[in-house]
Amino acid sequence: MVTGGAGFIGSHLCDSLVALGHQVYALDNLVTGSEANIEQLKGNPLFTFMRHDVTNEMPILPDVHFVFHLASPASVPDYQKYSEETALVNSVGTRNLLKFAKAYNARFLYASTSEVYGSPMEHPQKETYWGNVNPNGVRACYDESKRFGEMMTMLYVRKYGLDGRIVRIFNTYGPRMRKDDGRVVSNFINQAITGKPITVYGDGLSTRSFCFVSDMVEGVVKAMMTDGTKGEVYNLGNPEEYTMINLAKKIKTMTKTASDIVFEKLPEDDPPRRRPDIAKAMEKLGWKPVVTVGEGLKKTIEYYRQVSGI
Ligand SMILES: NC(=O)c1ccc[n+]([C@@H]2O[C@H](COP(=O)([O-])OP(=O)(O)OC[C@H]3O[C@@H](n4cnc5c(N)ncnc54)[C@H](O)[C@@H]3O)[C@@H](O)[C@H]2O)c1
């Protein structure tokens, strides 16, 4: 079962699991996802889509062996717009899914986020770092509910012996990100291909690391399927750091756009730097990202050109 299966990462995860020969149930209430993301799987006997809000009572399904809990608005504008829904899907929703996984004796994976590190005082971030989060700020609906979801997952591991694990996903990009989801890569590319100014927030020197979605999906699957991962937390992301201004310049060159790069005020609580330390995932899961930013951006630009007919 994949919750958030009609979302950006979830739909690629469904593709990958079906390709591996698994029977997949995708649950999604489509708050930020879209059935267009799973169009390619419709009619495949290995795939079932169920429109369902996971904060509600769970449906009864045949045997389920793995529960991947990815449902949650994820981009900053999305979780600001759906603040209460975000808080609930990561708290009430996570508990529902933990109860479900326990009843089915299934393995469980919780998709947490690098945002649990808040505005980090340690760089790069290791899994052992506890973070620096504003508990009642504008981003708390996401950061704090993800921290709650992590706590609840570990509570089920400790109290009930559930076979659960947590992955902390760092910025991921690629085809099927909504073009209006407000993430930096989708913003920059769509501004560039439509000839609009490319808006960089702050002075452009804040950094992010970007992981291509196929690498992320491989890491998520390995974290679930690898033995010895029960009760563990893994950072998944690409440690290669980019300043916003360099990313904007790269996209400007790749799209051959005449768009100007313009600077705007930094949003509240926006962390200046974030980069995963992925040594643990490399050692324990035998995983590391392999897609370069150049290759990943090329595929993403092609995707946006195709969906926008440009
Ligand atoms: N994309 C990233 O860079 C990134 C970074 C860190 C963490 N994550 C995490 O990865 C997961 C997937 O993110 P994404 O980028 O694919 O976002 P997305 O918004 O594309 O996908 C999330 C999906 O969850 C669904 N959903 C939300 N609330 C639901 C509910 N109550 N019941 C059922 N479905 C619900 C949405 O409709 C959507 O299809 C999220 O948990 C997110 O927090 C993503």
Side-chain angles (χ1 to χ4, degrees), residues 262-275:
V262 298
F263 295 86
E264 284 187 11
K265 195 173 157 278
L266 207 59
E268 207 176 315
D269 285 346
D270 195 63
R273 289 180 86 189
R274 225 186 253 141
R275 175 159 77 98

PDB file of all heavy atoms in Angstrom, residues 262-275:
ATOM      1  N   VAL A 262      15.506  37.683 -10.901  1.00  0.00           N
ATOM      2  CA  VAL A 262      15.170  38.793  -9.989  1.00  0.00           C
ATOM      3  C   VAL A 262      15.159  38.266  -8.544  1.00  0.00           C
ATOM      4  O   VAL A 262      14.969  37.075  -8.316  1.00  0.00           O
ATOM      5  CB  VAL A 262      13.801  39.425 -10.332  1.00  0.00           C
ATOM      6  CG1 VAL A 262      13.811  40.023 -11.719  1.00  0.00           C
ATOM      7  CG2 VAL A 262      12.673  38.410 -10.193  1.00  0.00           C
ATOM      8  N   PHE A 263      15.370  39.173  -7.600  1.00  0.00           N
ATOM      9  CA  PHE A 263      15.466  38.769  -6.194  1.00  0.00           C
ATOM     10  C   PHE A 263      14.253  39.260  -5.413  1.00  0.00           C
ATOM     11  O   PHE A 263      13.818  40.391  -5.583  1.00  0.00           O
ATOM     12  CB  PHE A 263      16.760  39.322  -5.584  1.00  0.00           C
ATOM     13  CG  PHE A 263      17.986  38.727  -6.232  1.00  0.00           C
ATOM     14  CD1 PHE A 263      18.520  39.283  -7.390  1.00  0.00           C
ATOM     15  CD2 PHE A 263      18.576  37.577  -5.714  1.00  0.00           C
ATOM     16  CE1 PHE A 263      19.620  38.714  -8.007  1.00  0.00           C
ATOM     17  CE2 PHE A 263      19.673  37.003  -6.331  1.00  0.00           C
ATOM     18  CZ  PHE A 263      20.204  37.570  -7.482  1.00  0.00           C
ATOM     19  N   GLU A 264      13.712  38.371  -4.548  1.00  0.00           N
ATOM     20  CA  GLU A 264      12.574  38.763  -3.706  1.00  0.00           C
ATOM     21  C   GLU A 264      12.857  38.409  -2.261  1.00  0.00           C
ATOM     22  O   GLU A 264      13.765  37.637  -1.978  1.00  0.00           O
ATOM     23  CB  GLU A 264      11.290  38.080  -4.203  1.00  0.00           C
ATOM     24  CG  GLU A 264      10.767  38.756  -5.453  1.00  0.00           C
ATOM     25  CD  GLU A 264       9.410  38.257  -5.912  1.00  0.00           C
ATOM     26  OE1 GLU A 264       8.752  37.511  -5.155  1.00  0.00           O
ATOM     27  OE2 GLU A 264       9.029  38.615  -7.034  1.00  0.00           O
ATOM     28  N   LYS A 265      12.000  38.942  -1.361  1.00  0.00           N
ATOM     29  CA  LYS A 265      12.199  38.761   0.079  1.00  0.00           C
ATOM     30  C   LYS A 265      12.094  37.267   0.455  1.00  0.00           C
ATOM     31  O   LYS A 265      11.225  36.546  -0.049  1.00  0.00           O
ATOM     32  CB  LYS A 265      11.108  39.558   0.820  1.00  0.00           C
ATOM     33  CG  LYS A 265      11.366  39.773   2.269  1.00  0.00           C
ATOM     34  CD  LYS A 265      10.297  40.731   2.842  1.00  0.00           C
ATOM     35  CE  LYS A 265      10.158  40.536   4.318  1.00  0.00           C
ATOM     36  NZ  LYS A 265       9.296  39.421   4.698  1.00  0.00           N
ATOM     37  N   LEU A 266      12.982  36.856   1.355  1.00  0.00           N
ATOM     38  CA  LEU A 266      12.992  35.455   1.821  1.00  0.00           C
ATOM     39  C   LEU A 266      11.744  35.166   2.666  1.00  0.00           C
ATOM     40  O   LEU A 266      11.400  35.954   3.533  1.00  0.00           O
ATOM     41  CB  LEU A 266      14.244  35.270   2.696  1.00  0.00           C
ATOM     42  CG  LEU A 266      14.870  33.890   2.814  1.00  0.00           C
ATOM     43  CD1 LEU A 266      15.301  33.347   1.469  1.00  0.00           C
ATOM     44  CD2 LEU A 266      16.070  33.962   3.757  1.00  0.00           C
ATOM     45  N   PRO A 267      11.059  34.014   2.442  1.00  0.00           N
ATOM     46  CA  PRO A 267       9.897  33.696   3.284  1.00  0.00           C
ATOM     47  C   PRO A 267      10.311  33.451   4.741  1.00  0.00           C
ATOM     48  O   PRO A 267      11.475  33.133   5.015  1.00  0.00           O
ATOM     49  CB  PRO A 267       9.347  32.411   2.664  1.00  0.00           C
ATOM     50  CG  PRO A 267      10.059  32.209   1.395  1.00  0.00           C
ATOM     51  CD  PRO A 267      11.308  33.006   1.416  1.00  0.00           C
ATOM     52  N   GLU A 268       9.328  33.567   5.650  1.00  0.00           N
ATOM     53  CA  GLU A 268       9.580  33.390   7.086  1.00  0.00           C
ATOM     54  C   GLU A 268      10.096  31.977   7.404  1.00  0.00           C
ATOM     55  O   GLU A 268       9.622  30.996   6.820  1.00  0.00           O
ATOM     56  CB  GLU A 268       8.242  33.603   7.816  1.00  0.00           C
ATOM     57  CG  GLU A 268       8.380  34.095   9.240  1.00  0.00           C
ATOM     58  CD  GLU A 268       7.012  34.363   9.848  1.00  0.00           C
ATOM     59  OE1 GLU A 268       6.177  34.974   9.156  1.00  0.00           O
ATOM     60  OE2 GLU A 268       6.800  33.952  10.985  1.00  0.00           O
ATOM     61  N   ASP A 269      11.045  31.888   8.319  1.00  0.00           N
ATOM     62  CA  ASP A 269      11.588  30.611   8.812  1.00  0.00           C
ATOM     63  C   ASP A 269      12.250  29.778   7.711  1.00  0.00           C
ATOM     64  O   ASP A 269      12.329  28.554   7.809  1.00  0.00           O
ATOM     65  CB  ASP A 269      10.509  29.752   9.507  1.00  0.00           C
ATOM     66  CG  ASP A 269      10.162  30.276  10.900  1.00  0.00           C
ATOM     67  OD1 ASP A 269      10.915  31.117  11.415  1.00  0.00           O
ATOM     68  OD2 ASP A 269       9.141  29.831  11.456  1.00  0.00           O
ATOM     69  N   ASP A 270      12.668  30.417   6.634  1.00  0.00           N
ATOM     70  CA  ASP A 270      13.295  29.672   5.543  1.00  0.00           C
ATOM     71  C   ASP A 270      14.749  29.373   5.931  1.00  0.00           C
ATOM     72  O   ASP A 270      15.526  30.296   6.140  1.00  0.00           O
ATOM     73  CB  ASP A 270      13.268  30.524   4.263  1.00  0.00           C
ATOM     74  CG  ASP A 270      13.560  29.703   3.028  1.00  0.00           C
ATOM     75  OD1 ASP A 270      12.773  28.806   2.723  1.00  0.00           O
ATOM     76  OD2 ASP A 270      14.608  29.948   2.389  1.00  0.00           O
ATOM     77  N   PRO A 271      15.123  28.095   6.066  1.00  0.00           N
ATOM     78  CA  PRO A 271      16.486  27.808   6.514  1.00  0.00           C
ATOM     79  C   PRO A 271      17.527  28.157   5.454  1.00  0.00           C
ATOM     80  O   PRO A 271      17.305  27.909   4.261  1.00  0.00           O
ATOM     81  CB  PRO A 271      16.463  26.302   6.789  1.00  0.00           C
ATOM     82  CG  PRO A 271      15.327  25.782   6.009  1.00  0.00           C
ATOM     83  CD  PRO A 271      14.344  26.888   5.795  1.00  0.00           C
ATOM     84  N   PRO A 272      18.671  28.728   5.848  1.00  0.00           N
ATOM     85  CA  PRO A 272      19.656  29.146   4.857  1.00  0.00           C
ATOM     86  C   PRO A 272      20.375  27.988   4.163  1.00  0.00           C
ATOM     87  O   PRO A 272      20.768  28.099   3.008  1.00  0.00           O
ATOM     88  CB  PRO A 272      20.649  29.972   5.677  1.00  0.00           C
ATOM     89  CG  PRO A 272      20.448  29.563   7.092  1.00  0.00           C
ATOM     90  CD  PRO A 272      19.039  29.095   7.211  1.00  0.00           C
ATOM     91  N   ARG A 273      20.573  26.881   4.889  1.00  0.00           N
ATOM     92  CA  ARG A 273      21.314  25.753   4.294  1.00  0.00           C
ATOM     93  C   ARG A 273      20.706  24.441   4.767  1.00  0.00           C
ATOM     94  O   ARG A 273      20.270  24.325   5.899  1.00  0.00           O
ATOM     95  CB  ARG A 273      22.776  25.750   4.774  1.00  0.00           C
ATOM     96  CG  ARG A 273      23.617  26.844   4.235  1.00  0.00           C
ATOM     97  CD  ARG A 273      25.018  26.723   4.798  1.00  0.00           C
ATOM     98  NE  ARG A 273      25.847  25.817   4.024  1.00  0.00           N
ATOM     99  CZ  ARG A 273      27.063  25.415   4.425  1.00  0.00           C
ATOM    100  NH1 ARG A 273      27.555  25.801   5.582  1.00  0.00           N
ATOM    101  NH2 ARG A 273      27.782  24.608   3.660  1.00  0.00           N
ATOM    102  N   ARG A 274      20.731  23.479   3.895  1.00  0.00           N
ATOM    103  CA  ARG A 274      20.347  22.132   4.305  1.00  0.00           C
ATOM    104  C   ARG A 274      21.004  21.136   3.363  1.00  0.00           C
ATOM    105  O   ARG A 274      20.899  21.277   2.153  1.00  0.00           O
ATOM    106  CB  ARG A 274      18.831  21.993   4.234  1.00  0.00           C
ATOM    107  CG  ARG A 274      18.304  21.306   5.459  1.00  0.00           C
ATOM    108  CD  ARG A 274      16.868  21.034   5.329  1.00  0.00           C
ATOM    109  NE  ARG A 274      16.036  21.895   6.140  1.00  0.00           N
ATOM    110  CZ  ARG A 274      14.886  22.381   5.716  1.00  0.00           C
ATOM    111  NH1 ARG A 274      14.476  22.143   4.505  1.00  0.00           N
ATOM    112  NH2 ARG A 274      14.154  23.106   6.518  1.00  0.00           N
ATOM    113  N   ARG A 275      21.703  20.183   3.938  1.00  0.00           N
ATOM    114  CA  ARG A 275      22.367  19.180   3.103  1.00  0.00           C
ATOM    115  C   ARG A 275      22.409  17.879   3.888  1.00  0.00           C
ATOM    116  O   ARG A 275      22.803  17.863   5.052  1.00  0.00           O
ATOM    117  CB  ARG A 275      23.782  19.625   2.772  1.00  0.00           C
ATOM    118  CG  ARG A 275      24.568  18.573   1.999  1.00  0.00           C
ATOM    119  CD  ARG A 275      25.727  19.205   1.257  1.00  0.00           C
ATOM    120  NE  ARG A 275      26.836  19.519   2.132  1.00  0.00           N
ATOM    121  CZ  ARG A 275      27.902  18.745   2.289  1.00  0.00           C
ATOM    122  NH1 ARG A 275      28.001  17.599   1.652  1.00  0.00           N
ATOM    123  NH2 ARG A 275      28.877  19.107   3.086  1.00  0.00           N
TER     124      ARG A 275
END
